[in-house]
Amino acid sequence: MNIKDTIISFIDKIMQPPISFLDMAIDRLQGIQMVTAQGLDLSKYLYVFGDMPTAWQLVITSLLISTVLLGSLLIYRSIMRIYYAAKEGVKWW
């Protein structure tokens, strides 16, 4: 047995657990039979607030919508800061 075969067998022994884990993950993912693009039913999660009066339900809905809006604006601002920092660093214009 030469050195090349020894190195190859050593690398195969090291890489066998991750490869077997990835093969198992691929098999599990291929076995899933779910319907895609169903959407998210928020009424299941907001069912707790269903007993409240309509005015309070509107307040909670408005708070959730404003939180999502402000969060998306913060994400957009962060992405634009990264973009402008990269643009300033490269000076490509």
Side-chain angles (χ1 to χ4, degrees), residues 52-83:
M52 294 179 146
T54 307
W56 282 105
Q57 288 179 5
L58 290 174
V59 168
I60 291 173
T61 304
S62 298
L63 285 173
L64 290 174
I65 290 172
S66 63
T67 302
V68 169
L69 178 66
L70 289 175
S72 59
L73 287 174
L74 286 172
I75 290 171
Y76 176 75
R77 185 179 71 176
S78 299
I79 290 172
M80 291 309 294
R81 280 185 181 175
I82 292 171
Y83 169 73

